[in-house]
Amino acid sequence: MRTVNWNELDSEQRRQLLTRPAMQGADDISSTVSDIIARIRREGDKALKEYTAAFDRVVDGQLRLEPAALEAACQRVSPLMKDAIGHAYRNIAQFHEAQKPTALSVETQTGVRCELHTHAIGRVGLYVPGGSAPLVSTVLMLAIPARIAGCRKIVLCSPPPVADEIIYAATLCGVSEIYTMGGAQAIAAMAYGTETVSKVDKIFGPGNAWVTEAKRQVSMDFRGAAIDMPAGPSEVLVIADADAHPGFVAADLLSQAEHGPDSQVVLVTPSAELATAVQQAVSAQLAVLPRAAIAEQALSSSLTIVCDDLAQACVISNEYAPEHLIVQTVEPRALLPRLENAGSIFLGAWTPESVGDYASGTNHTLPTYGYARTASSLGLADYQRRYTVQELTAEGLKGLADTVTRMADAEGLGAHKRAVTLRMDVLNQEAQA
Amino acid sequence: MRTVNWNELDSEQRRQLLTRPAMQGADDISSTVSDIIARIRREGDKALKEYTAAFDRVVDGQLRLEPAALEAACQRVSPLMKDAIGHAYRNIAQFHEAQKPTALSVETQTGVRCELHTHAIGRVGLYVPGGSAPLVSTVLMLAIPARIAGCRKIVLCSPPPVADEIIYAATLCGVSEIYTMGGAQAIAAMAYGTETVSKVDKIFGPGNAWVTEAKRQVSMDFRGAAIDMPAGPSEVLVIADADAHPGFVAADLLSQAEHGPDSQVVLVTPSAELATAVQQAVSAQLAVLPRAAIAEQALSSSLTIVCDDLAQACVISNEYAPEHLIVQTVEPRALLPRLENAGSIFLGAWTPESVGDYASGTNHTLPTYGYARTASSLGLADYQRRYTVQELTAEGLKGLADTVTRMADAEGLGAHKRAVTLRMDVLNQEAQA
């Protein structure tokens, strides 16, 4: 980890320092991905099976997992793992249940009733990446809010072979359909539908560069599907003071670094001593880490920033807008009012990122790559739409008539005006009759 | 308006009937727009002034309106117009004030505190189109929620000459900076900033094909800016029964049709008699409409759908997912539970769309083009970010340790596990000491 002193940098150097590396590959693969999407739209299941055979080397042609297969998979999951998944489920469900909105109804003036309602998005698609280890937590984080929001249809797809734990978690969350398919072809199938795969309205979940590009492309097409949020490499920024436990800080930095070689890891501290102690702890812990090779790559592009004080540390964090922000200081909550842009904030020595990644109750799907300046942590609201309802009485319309007709005149919209004056004429006739 | 009987169509014909026409032009202009964006990023104010001179034929080189100019403009606005704008302002502010979220705090288990907070997006940019008539209502609908959300900086731009009413409304809403510039160059200037124009984090507002394409392009670049929602032609669907007033229905259809030649207008009714009566009323009102030429073009591609009953009318509306949905039936509220996808719903004979367009209190910025299936009516939430905060006590971490370490094992993430076990070791040592 490179160490810099914030106050030895000019404003341009500071800007450069906090600028994330450009994401690679998107351009090279976008034409491949658009070809895949076009073929899925044209040939449906046939293309889907061919891509699955070619990319995932699975040729049994089974796309949707049948009830019997689901049941068998659930039975193979160990009781200990079922306990863990159940425990995480309860906490995540509790926190997302609490996010249920209450309908809003305001009478802005006599006879003018304005309401804000929410409705679940009808059909959602969840993408769970494959790979060596089953991402059980991703299933819970994506499917629990969909279930609580009341989405009519919840489709999940994951590349073959789909791990038993994923099937168990999906079943627990009430997922309606599970498909064994991955990559850009899976995103295309959910966005447009095929003979077998149900079309969805919105797609959620992480993925590799192909999946990310496919999500981007289908979200650009109004016939396609909306997506959860733009994707980027995972990242953590830790603000720590001289009293922080170097081993805890090192462990938190490493648990981000092991995610992937492109993970971003930043330590900001007013204490040069802590910075050194953390470096040593990182090296020591790295030596006995299973995914040391990946973590080392991530650390090579990572940063330690030594600054004046915690106030300046907050300014630096707001400028960087991290996905995860860990605050290990004597009074972590005291900094909260100064912290602006972050996806999720972890306060104090006993709150490692991994509790939020798995089981505390918060969602681990968060805006990366600086998107925390405008994007939100995934929550119930992302599975719902807000819409307004209004109802006026005749008296209510009378009270608004002059204002509406004057503004319609100013905007040169005669029919907008007529829609009001015509009604007023009828009211006046009724009054005279 | 073409009239069809829903029950004489097969499912494919029904799908076709409700499919919106493809938006024209986007492809042809995307390279022009990306050139403009590239030049603004490279040359800043210089390019901005040259584009303004070329496209808007204004060469005074004045980009930002100075306080003196703003004050003079406000003084030129008539008292009657100020009353109207003030009246609309109060209702819109009241409805958006009521949308302020309350922070959420849940202890999911002993010592595990999970919170959902919101924070205003720091810097927002509002685009108000130019043209023959000043879009005062657009200023109110975009700027009032920005003000209430507490955005640090609110930038507004509109093509020269900026009408006095727009300046008055913007000043009333507390807009921080007003720039006289339009088109793709204005979007680029706000997304990336120039010597004069402040960079913003998110851009809101309607515009022509160039503005829409520029918003799309800057939202694809993480260095650019987020945008409010995808854009499409404005549209209304009216559900009316035999008791509806044909003149009211016709006036509402026409007030949508006059927006532009590409406006979509749909009437769905179980009553063939009403359908005929509305057609006649439309022709009669069209004859005396200032913007008759535009409205006629829109009506030429519009639809009247005769169906079995109101339940089927709701199914058709949900399938179409209109921006505006007007319900003129004996018991309009009774249909609300059946109505799924719409941007804003207007209930009853005394609730024309124009009250929501201007002054009832709801926002007139709504998802078009079928996006109402997943996108929301613009509201306070669009000017804020939601983020989570969590804080565990040592006891809280103990209670989660087994679950988190088991799931980290399952996902093969050793450092995630270590971040917990290391802390448990320290706790155990403390306990023994």
Side-chain angles (χ1 to χ4, degrees):
Chain A
M1 285 177 79
R2 177 170 153 231
T3 301
V4 298
N5 189 318
W6 187 251
N7 294 301
E8 289 166 1
L9 307 176
D10 63 32
S11 61
E12 176 54 20
Q13 289 170 313
R14 290 175 173 185
R15 203 185 58 70
Q16 286 294 345
L17 190 72
L18 297 182
T19 300
R20 289 161 175 83
M23 278 185 272
Q24 298 308 320
D27 294 348
D28 336 343
I29 64 172
S30 83
S31 64
T32 318
V33 166
S34 55
D35 293 346
I36 293 175
I37 294 173
R39 252 201 82 196
I40 295 291
R41 292 185 66 177
R42 216 171 41 239
E43 302 170 26
D45 285 350
K46 178 172 166 298
L48 200 47
K49 289 175 181 173
E50 285 174 21
Y51 284 125
T52 305
F55 297 144
D56 303 311
R57 290 176 221 72
V58 173
V59 291
D60 69 356
Q62 170 84 308
L63 287 176
R64 181 173 175 181
L65 296 180
E66 299 307 331
L70 301 178
E71 204 173 308
C74 292
Q75 280 165 2
R76 286 190 296 266
V77 177
S78 77
L80 278 179
M81 185 50 57
K82 284 180 178 172
D83 287 348
I85 292 172
H87 185 186
Y89 179 97
R90 287 189 299 278
N91 286 348
I92 298 164
Q94 194 184 343
F95 186 61
H96 289 76
E97 275 282 350
Q99 294 173 32
K100 280 187 176 173
T102 49
L104 184 74
S105 181
V106 178
E107 193 174 17
T108 52
Q109 66 185 64
T110 310
V112 179
R113 167 77 47 193
C114 297
E115 303 170 2
L116 186 68
H117 294 240
T118 56
H119 196 290
I121 291 170
R123 306 164 297 180
V124 298
L126 316 180
Y127 186 84
V128 178
S132 48
L135 297 176
V136 184
S137 59
T138 306
V139 178
L140 299 176
M141 296 295 176
L142 299 178
I144 290 171
R147 170 73 170 283
I148 292 171
C151 299
R152 198 167 62 244
K153 181 174 290 220
I154 306 173
V155 172
L156 181 145
C157 61
S158 191
V162 184
D164 296 338
E165 293 83 356
I166 286 179
I167 292 171
Y168 175 76
T171 309
L172 190 67
C173 297
V175 167
S176 349
E177 301 167 10
I178 303 178
Y179 296 94
T180 152
M181 57 188 191
Q185 61 274 20
I187 300 301
M190 291 195 289
Y192 297 98
T194 70
E195 304 90 316
T196 306
V197 182
S198 307
K199 184 218 188 316
V200 302
D201 303 307
K202 189 172 184 179
I203 297 174
F204 299 77
N208 60 23
W210 283 263
V211 168
T212 300
E213 173 63 13
K215 282 174 68 185
R216 196 186 68 77
Q217 288 188 22
V218 300
S219 71
M220 290 290 95
D221 175 13
F222 76 98
R223 297 177 204 76
I227 61 172
D228 46 2
M229 62 179 79
S234 191
E235 54 200 24
V236 71
L237 184 143
V238 179
I239 295 176
D241 62 15
D243 293 318
H245 188 302
F248 293 0
V249 175
D252 294 342
L253 296 174
L254 284 166
S255 64
Q256 187 60 56
E258 77 175 341
H259 268 301
D262 58 355
S263 288
Q264 294 273 305
V265 176
V266 183
L267 169 63
V268 183
T269 178
S271 163
E273 296 65 30
L274 180 88
T276 313
V278 169
Q279 300 271 10
Q280 291 160 349
V282 165
S283 314
Q285 293 182 25
L286 199 52
V288 290
L289 198 65
R291 294 163 65 96
I294 292 171
E296 269 177 52
Q297 267 182 280
L299 290 171
S300 66
S301 62
S302 295
L303 267 182
T304 298
I305 301 175
V306 178
C307 60
D308 279 349
D309 51 26
L310 291 175
Q312 190 178 49
C314 293
V315 172
I316 294 168
S317 176
N318 292 341
E319 178 68 25
Y320 182 72
E323 176 190 14
H324 304 95
L325 170 57
I326 299 178
V327 184
Q328 294 197 35
T329 61
V330 178
E331 289 184 274
R333 200 169 272 277
L335 296 187
L336 221 40
R338 295 173 180 271
L339 295 169
E340 275 186 21
N341 307 325
S344 190
I345 303 178
F346 298 74
L347 298 177
W350 309 111
T351 316
E353 185 193 310
S354 35
V355 298
D357 288 339
Y358 291 118
S360 61
T362 59
N363 204 293
H364 76 196
T365 310
L366 303 166
T368 55
Y369 219 59
Y371 287 112
R373 291 184 193 88
T374 53
S376 296
S377 150
L378 193 76
L380 200 65
D382 298 291
Y383 294 80
Q384 300 175 316
R385 325 161 10 248
R386 298 181 313 280
Y387 60 98
T388 51
V389 173
Q390 59 199 288
E391 184 168 25
L392 274 64
T393 62
E395 186 191 5
L397 183 60
K398 270 186 202 162
L400 276 179
D402 289 349
T403 289
V404 172
T405 50
R406 256 176 234 160
M407 292 180 78
D409 273 335
E411 295 190 1
L413 296 173
H416 281 63
K417 180 181 183 177
R418 163 99 42 65
V420 173
T421 53
L422 191 74
R423 285 168 164 94
M424 297 312 292
D425 296 344
V426 170
L427 284 173
N428 295 332
Q429 286 153 19
E430 285 176 1
Q432 285 153 17
Chain B
M1 285 176 80
R2 176 170 153 233
T3 302
V4 298
N5 189 318
W6 189 251
N7 293 302
E8 289 166 2
L9 307 175
D10 63 32
S11 61
E12 177 53 22
Q13 290 170 313
R14 290 173 173 186
R15 203 186 56 71
Q16 286 293 345
L17 190 71
L18 298 182
T19 300
R20 290 161 174 83
M23 280 185 271
Q24 298 307 319
D27 294 348
D28 337 344
I29 66 172
S30 83
S31 65
T32 319
V33 166
S34 55
D35 293 346
I36 293 174
I37 293 173
R39 253 201 82 195
I40 295 292
R41 292 185 68 177
R42 217 171 39 241
E43 302 170 26
D45 285 352
K46 179 174 165 295
L48 200 47
K49 288 175 183 175
E50 285 174 22
Y51 283 126
T52 304
F55 297 144
D56 303 311
R57 292 177 220 70
V58 174
V59 291
D60 69 358
Q62 169 85 311
L63 287 176
R64 180 173 175 180
L65 296 178
E66 299 307 330
L70 301 179
E71 203 174 308
C74 291
Q75 281 165 2
R76 287 191 296 266
V77 176
S78 77
L80 277 180
M81 184 50 58
K82 284 180 179 172
D83 286 349
I85 292 172
H87 185 186
Y89 179 97
R90 287 190 300 277
N91 285 349
I92 297 163
Q94 193 184 343
F95 186 62
H96 289 76
E97 274 283 350
Q99 293 173 32
K100 281 187 176 173
T102 48
L104 184 73
S105 181
V106 179
E107 193 175 18
T108 52
Q109 67 186 64
T110 309
V112 179
R113 168 77 48 194
C114 297
E115 304 170 0
L116 186 68
H117 294 240
T118 56
H119 196 290
I121 291 170
R123 306 163 298 177
V124 298
L126 316 180
Y127 187 85
V128 178
S132 50
L135 297 176
V136 184
S137 60
T138 305
V139 178
L140 298 177
M141 296 296 175
L142 299 178
I144 290 171
R147 171 73 170 282
I148 292 171
C151 299
R152 200 166 61 245
K153 184 175 288 232
I154 307 173
V155 171
L156 181 145
C157 61
S158 191
V162 183
D164 296 339
E165 293 83 355
I166 286 180
I167 293 171
Y168 175 75
T171 309
L172 188 69
C173 296
V175 167
S176 346
E177 301 167 12
I178 303 178
Y179 296 95
T180 148
M181 57 188 191
Q185 61 273 21
I187 300 300
M190 291 195 289
Y192 297 98
T194 71
E195 304 90 313
T196 307
V197 182
S198 307
K199 184 218 187 316
V200 302
D201 302 307
K202 189 171 183 179
I203 297 174
F204 299 77
N208 60 23
W210 283 265
V211 169
T212 300
E213 174 62 15
K215 282 174 68 184
R216 195 186 68 77
Q217 288 188 22
V218 301
S219 72
M220 290 288 95
D221 175 11
F222 76 98
R223 298 176 204 77
I227 61 173
D228 47 1
M229 62 179 78
S234 191
E235 56 200 23
V236 70
L237 185 144
V238 179
I239 296 177
D241 62 13
D243 293 321
H245 188 303
F248 294 179
V249 174
D252 294 341
L253 295 174
L254 283 166
S255 63
Q256 187 60 57
E258 77 174 342
H259 267 301
D262 58 355
S263 288
Q264 293 273 305
V265 176
V266 183
L267 168 63
V268 183
T269 178
S271 162
E273 296 67 28
L274 181 86
T276 314
V278 169
Q279 300 273 11
Q280 291 161 349
V282 165
S283 315
Q285 294 182 26
L286 199 53
V288 289
L289 197 65
R291 294 164 64 96
I294 292 171
E296 267 176 55
Q297 267 182 280
L299 290 171
S300 67
S301 62
S302 295
L303 266 183
T304 299
I305 301 175
V306 177
C307 60
D308 279 349
D309 52 27
L310 291 175
Q312 191 178 50
C314 293
V315 172
I316 295 168
S317 176
N318 291 343
E319 179 68 25
Y320 182 73
E323 177 190 13
H324 304 94
L325 170 57
I326 299 178
V327 184
Q328 294 197 36
T329 60
V330 178
E331 289 183 274
R333 202 168 270 278
L335 296 187
L336 220 40
R338 296 173 180 269
L339 294 170
E340 273 184 24
N341 308 325
S344 190
I345 304 179
F346 298 74
L347 298 178
W350 309 112
T351 317
E353 185 192 311
S354 36
V355 297
D357 288 339
Y358 291 119
S360 61
T362 59
N363 204 294
H364 77 196
T365 311
L366 303 167
T368 55
Y369 218 59
Y371 287 111
R373 290 185 194 88
T374 53
S376 295
S377 149
L378 193 76
L380 199 65
D382 298 290
Y383 294 80
Q384 300 176 316
R385 326 161 7 247
R386 298 181 313 280
Y387 61 98
T388 51
V389 173
Q390 60 198 288
E391 184 168 26
L392 273 63
T393 61
E395 187 192 2
L397 183 59
K398 271 187 205 162
L400 277 178
D402 288 350
T403 289
V404 171
T405 50
R406 256 176 235 160
M407 293 179 77
D409 273 336
E411 295 190 1
L413 296 173
H416 282 64
K417 180 181 183 177
R418 163 99 42 62
V420 173
T421 53
L422 191 73
R423 285 168 163 94
M424 297 313 293
D425 295 344
V426 170
L427 284 173
N428 295 333
Q429 287 153 20
E430 286 176 1
Q432 285 153 18

